[in-house]
Amino acid sequence: MSNLSKIYCFRASYEASIDLDINNLPDWLSVAINWQGYRISTLPWIANVARLLGNLNIEDHPTSWKSYLESLGFRNVTPISCEDFHEDTLYC
C-alpha cells in the first residue's frame, strides 16, 4: 500500500496554547510535555485507519499536519526531525 502515512514530529508552545483541551485530543496524536513545551508526534498506524473511516481529512504532509494541530489549539507549532524529538529518550 503506497498511501501509508509517515510519522511527523512537532513542538508547540505550552504557554501560548491556552485554547488547547489536552484531554480531548484524537488518538492519532501522541502528546507529551517537557521543558520545551508540547511534544507531538503523529501515529500513522491510527491515522491511516482514521482516513479510511473518513475521520481524518488532511493530507499526509508536515504543512497540513501543522495547520491541523493549530486548529486543535496548539500554538507556535514547529516541525522537528523525529530524531531530535526522541533525542532525550535515547539514553534511558
Side-chain angles (χ1 to χ4, degrees), residues 6-72:
K6 296 179 183 178
I7 297 174
Y8 296 103
C9 300
F10 302 88
R11 284 195 187 114
S13 169
Y14 180 77
E15 294 83 14
S17 301
I18 59 174
D19 295 330
L20 177 68
D21 182 1
I22 192 78
N23 297 313
N24 195 23
L25 295 174
D27 293 333
W28 48 81
L29 297 176
S30 172
V31 179
I33 302 170
N34 71 3
W35 64 274
Q36 295 174 313
Y38 288 108
R39 296 165 32 108
I40 309 149
S41 66
T42 61
L43 303 175
W45 50 94
I46 299 173
N48 288 335
V49 173
R51 278 193 183 89
L52 288 172
L53 296 174
N55 296 328
L56 181 61
N57 296 313
I58 65 167
E59 291 182 36
D60 191 44
H61 188 272
T63 304
S64 298
W65 277 108
K66 181 179 185 276
S67 296
Y68 176 73
L69 293 172
E70 290 169 344
S71 77
L72 294 176

